[in-house]
Amino acid sequence: SQYASHEKNRPRRVLDRLDGFSRPIFDSISENGYAVLPDFYSTKLCAKLVSEIDRILKKHPNFVHEDSDMRIFGAEHLSQSIMQFHNLKLGEELVNAYWQSPSQNAFTLAAKMPFTPGNQGSGEGWHRDSFFCQFKLILYLTDVSEQSGPFQYIRYSHRFPHLGQDIRTGRLAYMDTRASVAQVERIIQKSPERLVTVTAPRGTLLIADTSGLHRGKPIENGVRYALTNYFYPNAAFGPWMSEKFNLVPKNLLRKRK
Protein backbone atom coordinates (compact mmCIF):
# COMPACT_ATOMS: atom_id res chain seq x y z
CA SER A 1 0.00 0.00 0.00
CA GLN A 2 1.03 3.65 -0.21
CA TYR A 3 1.25 3.77 3.59
CA ALA A 4 3.63 0.80 3.66
CA SER A 5 5.73 2.59 1.06
CA HIS A 6 5.63 5.69 3.24
CA GLU A 7 7.04 3.71 6.17
CA LYS A 8 9.91 2.40 4.04
CA ASN A 9 10.82 6.02 3.30
CA ARG A 10 10.89 7.04 6.96
CA PRO A 11 14.33 8.16 8.17
CA ARG A 12 17.00 5.65 9.03
CA ARG A 13 19.40 6.86 11.69
CA VAL A 14 22.68 7.72 10.01
CA LEU A 15 24.05 9.39 13.11
CA ASP A 16 27.64 9.45 11.93
CA ARG A 17 26.65 12.36 9.68
CA LEU A 18 25.54 14.47 12.65
CA ASP A 19 27.48 16.11 15.47
CA GLY A 20 26.61 16.32 19.16
CA PHE A 21 24.46 19.41 18.59
CA SER A 22 22.35 18.12 15.70
CA ARG A 23 21.85 14.50 16.81
CA PRO A 24 19.32 15.27 19.58
CA ILE A 25 17.45 17.51 17.13
CA PHE A 26 17.33 14.68 14.60
CA ASP A 27 16.09 12.27 17.27
CA SER A 28 13.31 14.62 18.36
CA ILE A 29 12.10 15.13 14.78
CA SER A 30 12.23 11.40 14.05
CA GLU A 31 10.28 10.53 17.21
CA ASN A 32 7.87 13.44 17.66
CA GLY A 33 7.84 15.17 14.29
CA TYR A 34 9.39 18.44 15.47
CA ALA A 35 12.17 20.04 17.54
CA VAL A 36 12.32 23.45 19.25
CA LEU A 37 15.58 25.42 19.62
CA PRO A 38 15.26 28.45 21.94
CA ASP A 39 17.48 31.55 21.64
CA PHE A 40 18.65 30.61 18.15
CA TYR A 41 18.63 34.26 16.98
CA SER A 42 19.15 37.36 19.10
CA THR A 43 16.38 39.88 19.80
CA LYS A 44 18.38 42.51 17.91
CA LEU A 45 18.70 40.36 14.79
CA CYS A 46 15.00 39.45 14.92
CA ALA A 47 14.09 43.16 15.00
CA LYS A 48 16.31 43.75 11.96
CA LEU A 49 14.61 40.93 10.07
CA VAL A 50 11.15 42.28 10.93
CA SER A 51 12.20 45.61 9.41
CA GLU A 52 13.50 43.81 6.34
CA ILE A 53 10.18 41.99 5.87
CA ASP A 54 8.25 45.25 6.15
CA ARG A 55 10.60 46.82 3.60
CA ILE A 56 10.28 44.08 0.99
CA LEU A 57 6.49 43.76 1.43
CA LYS A 58 6.18 47.48 0.68
CA LYS A 59 8.75 47.59 -2.13
CA HIS A 60 7.75 44.39 -3.96
CA PRO A 61 3.94 44.12 -3.87
CA ASN A 62 3.97 42.07 -7.10
CA PHE A 63 5.48 39.13 -5.19
CA VAL A 64 3.14 39.34 -2.18
CA HIS A 65 0.61 36.54 -1.64
CA GLU A 66 -2.07 38.14 0.50
CA ASP A 67 -4.90 36.37 2.24
CA SER A 68 -5.03 36.54 6.03
CA ASP A 69 -1.19 36.47 5.80
CA MET A 70 1.19 38.54 3.70
CA ARG A 71 3.84 36.26 2.21
CA ILE A 72 6.81 36.49 -0.15
CA PHE A 73 8.28 33.19 -1.36
CA GLY A 74 11.95 33.42 -2.29
CA ALA A 75 12.52 36.42 -0.01
CA GLU A 76 16.21 35.52 0.30
CA HIS A 77 16.67 37.15 -3.11
CA LEU A 78 15.46 40.49 -1.75
CA SER A 79 17.51 40.70 1.46
CA GLN A 80 21.07 39.79 2.48
CA SER A 81 19.91 39.23 6.07
CA ILE A 82 17.22 36.77 4.97
CA MET A 83 19.76 35.11 2.67
CA GLN A 84 21.92 34.36 5.73
CA PHE A 85 19.01 32.47 7.31
CA HIS A 86 18.36 30.71 4.00
CA ASN A 87 21.96 29.46 3.97
CA LEU A 88 21.91 27.85 7.44
CA LYS A 89 23.88 24.59 7.24
CA LEU A 90 21.94 22.99 10.11
CA GLY A 91 18.82 22.44 8.02
CA GLU A 92 20.70 20.88 5.12
CA GLU A 93 22.59 18.50 7.42
CA LEU A 94 19.41 17.39 9.17
CA VAL A 95 17.27 16.94 6.10
CA ASN A 96 19.89 14.90 4.25
CA ALA A 97 20.29 12.58 7.24
CA TYR A 98 16.53 12.45 7.73
CA TRP A 99 15.50 11.58 4.18
CA GLN A 100 18.77 9.91 3.15
CA SER A 101 18.50 11.39 -0.32
CA PRO A 102 20.09 14.55 -1.75
CA SER A 103 17.95 17.46 -0.56
CA GLN A 104 18.26 21.20 -0.12
CA ASN A 105 16.49 24.39 0.84
CA ALA A 106 14.42 25.46 -2.16
CA PHE A 107 13.45 28.93 -0.91
CA THR A 108 12.69 31.06 2.15
CA LEU A 109 9.25 32.42 2.95
CA ALA A 110 9.01 35.82 4.67
CA ALA A 111 5.62 36.24 6.34
CA LYS A 112 3.74 38.92 8.20
CA MET A 113 0.63 37.52 9.89
CA PRO A 114 -1.71 40.15 11.37
CA PHE A 115 -5.01 39.50 13.09
CA THR A 116 -7.93 39.56 10.69
CA PRO A 117 -11.51 38.66 11.66
CA GLY A 118 -12.35 35.05 10.81
CA ASN A 119 -8.75 34.06 9.96
CA GLN A 120 -7.95 30.34 9.97
CA GLY A 121 -4.33 30.87 10.95
CA SER A 122 -1.15 30.32 8.96
CA GLY A 123 -1.64 27.56 6.39
CA GLU A 124 -5.43 28.17 6.40
CA GLY A 125 -6.23 25.38 8.85
CA TRP A 126 -5.02 21.87 9.73
CA HIS A 127 -3.11 20.15 6.94
CA ARG A 128 -0.13 18.10 5.84
CA ASP A 129 2.23 19.71 3.34
CA SER A 130 2.72 16.28 1.80
CA PHE A 131 2.19 12.67 2.80
CA PHE A 132 5.76 11.72 2.10
CA CYS A 133 8.40 14.47 2.05
CA GLN A 134 8.35 17.94 3.53
CA PHE A 135 10.73 19.55 5.99
CA LYS A 136 10.72 23.13 7.30
CA LEU A 137 12.74 25.44 9.52
CA ILE A 138 10.58 28.18 11.06
CA LEU A 139 12.12 31.16 12.84
CA TYR A 140 9.89 33.17 15.19
CA LEU A 141 10.79 36.86 14.75
CA THR A 142 8.25 38.10 17.31
CA ASP A 143 7.14 36.69 20.67
CA VAL A 144 4.43 34.07 20.07
CA SER A 145 1.72 33.53 22.67
CA GLU A 146 -1.48 31.47 22.60
CA GLN A 147 -3.23 34.49 21.08
CA SER A 148 -0.71 35.36 18.36
CA GLY A 149 -0.94 32.27 16.17
CA PRO A 150 1.51 29.66 17.50
CA PHE A 151 2.54 26.65 15.44
CA GLN A 152 0.53 23.57 16.42
CA TYR A 153 1.43 19.97 15.64
CA ILE A 154 -0.13 16.56 16.22
CA ARG A 155 2.75 14.58 17.67
CA TYR A 156 3.56 11.28 15.85
CA SER A 157 1.21 12.13 12.95
CA HIS A 158 4.20 11.90 10.58
CA ARG A 159 4.76 8.24 11.50
CA PHE A 160 3.32 4.93 10.39
CA PRO A 161 1.03 3.40 11.77
CA HIS A 162 -0.34 6.68 13.19
CA LEU A 163 -1.24 7.74 9.64
CA GLY A 164 -3.83 4.99 9.33
CA GLN A 165 -4.99 5.31 12.93
CA ASP A 166 -5.55 9.04 12.57
CA ILE A 167 -7.51 8.58 9.34
CA ARG A 168 -9.85 6.18 11.15
CA THR A 169 -10.11 8.22 14.36
CA GLY A 170 -10.57 11.57 12.65
CA ARG A 171 -12.65 10.14 9.80
CA LEU A 172 -10.27 11.77 7.38
CA ALA A 173 -10.53 11.31 3.65
CA TYR A 174 -7.95 8.84 2.31
CA MET A 175 -4.79 10.63 1.12
CA ASP A 176 -6.37 14.06 1.72
CA THR A 177 -3.82 16.60 2.97
CA ARG A 178 -6.47 18.87 4.54
CA ALA A 179 -8.37 18.23 7.79
CA SER A 180 -11.18 20.16 9.46
CA VAL A 181 -11.08 21.35 13.06
CA ALA A 182 -13.76 18.79 13.95
CA GLN A 183 -11.71 15.94 12.44
CA VAL A 184 -8.55 16.90 14.31
CA GLU A 185 -10.55 17.38 17.53
CA ARG A 186 -11.51 13.69 17.36
CA ILE A 187 -7.82 12.75 17.27
CA ILE A 188 -7.02 15.12 20.15
CA GLN A 189 -9.94 13.85 22.26
CA LYS A 190 -8.59 10.30 21.96
CA SER A 191 -5.00 11.34 22.83
CA PRO A 192 -4.88 14.91 24.25
CA GLU A 193 -1.13 14.70 24.88
CA ARG A 194 -0.46 14.60 21.16
CA LEU A 195 -1.44 18.24 20.63
CA VAL A 196 1.67 20.43 20.76
CA THR A 197 1.36 24.23 20.82
CA VAL A 198 4.70 26.02 20.38
CA THR A 199 4.44 29.29 22.29
CA ALA A 200 7.91 30.81 22.49
CA PRO A 201 9.84 34.11 22.47
CA ARG A 202 11.31 35.68 19.36
CA GLY A 203 14.51 34.04 18.18
CA THR A 204 13.14 30.51 18.64
CA LEU A 205 13.81 28.09 15.78
CA LEU A 206 11.27 25.36 15.11
CA ILE A 207 12.18 22.41 12.87
CA ALA A 208 9.38 20.13 11.71
CA ASP A 209 8.50 17.25 9.44
CA THR A 210 5.40 18.89 8.01
CA SER A 211 4.10 15.68 6.47
CA GLY A 212 2.55 15.50 9.95
CA LEU A 213 -0.70 17.29 10.78
CA HIS A 214 -0.06 20.92 11.71
CA ARG A 215 -1.33 24.48 11.44
CA GLY A 216 -0.75 28.00 12.64
CA LYS A 217 -3.37 28.54 15.33
CA PRO A 218 -5.85 31.29 14.33
CA ILE A 219 -4.50 34.67 15.42
CA GLU A 220 -6.66 36.35 18.05
CA ASN A 221 -4.75 39.63 18.33
CA GLY A 222 -1.50 41.33 17.37
CA VAL A 223 0.79 40.43 14.49
CA ARG A 224 3.36 37.69 14.03
CA TYR A 225 6.44 37.68 11.80
CA ALA A 226 8.37 34.59 10.75
CA LEU A 227 10.85 33.18 8.24
CA THR A 228 10.48 29.64 6.92
CA ASN A 229 12.95 27.55 4.93
CA TYR A 230 11.31 24.96 2.65
CA PHE A 231 13.32 21.78 2.01
CA TYR A 232 12.68 19.35 -0.84
CA PRO A 233 14.53 16.37 -2.32
CA ASN A 234 16.62 17.47 -5.28
CA ALA A 235 14.56 15.21 -7.53
CA ALA A 236 11.45 17.29 -6.75
CA PHE A 237 12.93 20.57 -8.02
CA GLY A 238 11.45 21.94 -11.21
CA PRO A 239 9.53 24.78 -12.92
CA TRP A 240 6.41 23.91 -10.89
CA MET A 241 7.92 25.67 -7.86
CA SER A 242 8.05 29.08 -9.54
CA GLU A 243 4.58 28.59 -10.97
CA LYS A 244 3.02 27.53 -7.66
CA PHE A 245 4.76 29.99 -5.34
CA ASN A 246 5.47 32.98 -7.63
CA LEU A 247 9.09 32.81 -6.48
CA VAL A 248 11.26 35.92 -6.49
CA PRO A 249 13.81 35.62 -9.35
CA LYS A 250 17.32 34.78 -8.20
CA ASN A 251 18.99 37.79 -9.85
CA LEU A 252 17.12 40.50 -7.93
CA LEU A 253 19.41 40.56 -4.90
CA ARG A 254 22.43 40.87 -7.15
CA LYS A 255 20.83 43.85 -8.92
CA ARG A 256 20.28 45.63 -5.59
CA LYS A 257 24.01 45.67 -4.78
Side-chain angles (χ1 to χ4, degrees):
S1 73
Q2 294 185 66
Y3 290 119
S5 174
H6 174 82
E7 175 61 7
K8 289 179 182 178
N9 291 327
R10 297 302 329 143
R12 302 294 181 259
R13 298 187 173 222
V14 187
L15 295 181
D16 57 345
R17 299 182 187 179
L18 304 173
D19 60 23
F21 176 75
S22 54
R23 286 183 188 181
I25 302 170
F26 176 91
D27 289 343
S28 180
I29 300 167
S30 296
E31 175 67 19
N32 298 302
Y34 69 95
V36 179
L37 284 64
D39 302 318
F40 195 82
Y41 266 34
S42 69
T43 298
K44 182 177 180 180
L45 185 50
C46 287
K48 179 181 179 181
L49 287 165
V50 166
S51 296
E52 281 290 274
I53 291 175
D54 281 336
R55 177 186 66 78
I56 65 177
L57 287 171
K58 182 177 180 180
K59 189 172 181 180
H60 300 279
N62 52 315
F63 291 115
V64 177
H65 298 241
E66 190 163 358
D67 194 353
S68 56
D69 301 351
M70 289 174 278
R71 300 176 165 212
I72 291 184
F73 294 91
E76 70 275 15
H77 298 300
L78 298 173
S79 166
Q80 286 284 6
S81 298
I82 295 175
M83 179 63 83
Q84 289 174 7
F85 176 69
H86 176 86
N87 289 335
L88 278 177
K89 292 298 183 184
L90 175 63
E92 187 173 314
E93 292 169 357
L94 286 168
V95 74
N96 279 282
Y98 191 75
W99 283 338
Q100 297 214 19
S101 61
S103 307
Q104 60 183 297
N105 184 13
F107 52 84
T108 298
L109 164 66
K112 178 180 182 180
M113 295 158 275
F115 166 75
T116 55
N119 77 90
Q120 298 182 67
S122 181
E124 300 300 317
W126 288 102
H127 64 285
R128 303 175 190 272
D129 290 341
S130 159
F131 265 91
F132 305 111
C133 286
Q134 186 66 74
F135 196 88
K136 288 180 178 176
L137 270 67
I138 304 168
L139 179 65
Y140 284 1
L141 298 178
T142 48
D143 296 340
V144 180
S145 67
E146 283 274 2
Q147 290 72 44
S148 54
F151 180 84
Q152 292 187 305
Y153 195 91
I154 303 300
R155 186 185 279 119
Y156 317 133
S157 61
H158 67 305
R159 295 174 56 188
F160 186 88
H162 285 87
L163 280 166
Q165 293 172 355
D166 289 344
I167 284 174
R168 291 191 294 273
T169 300
R171 303 174 202 163
L172 307 176
Y174 180 72
M175 296 300 290
D176 192 348
T177 58
R178 308 296 303 189
S180 69
V181 171
Q183 289 172 323
V184 174
E185 281 297 326
R186 293 187 191 108
I187 297 170
I188 296 170
Q189 287 172 8
K190 182 177 179 180
S191 304
E193 73 283 355
R194 291 182 61 196
L195 175 63
V196 177
T197 301
V198 185
T199 57
R202 70 193 70 185
T204 298
L205 182 68
L206 171 65
I207 307 175
D209 176 346
T210 51
S211 67
L213 282 166
H214 65 284
R215 71 171 182 175
K217 188 178 179 183
I219 298 173
E220 298 174 28
N221 58 59
V223 59
R224 180 163 72 87
Y225 287 79
L227 293 176
T228 303
N229 286 343
Y230 283 62
F231 287 85
Y232 291 89
N234 290 356
F237 280 63
W240 69 270
M241 287 186 176
S242 293
E243 294 167 6
K244 178 177 179 178
F245 296 105
N246 185 29
L247 293 178
V248 175
K250 293 182 178 180
N251 62 347
L252 286 191
L253 183 60
R254 188 163 58 247
K255 287 180 179 179
R256 288 185 64 239
K257 293 179 180 178

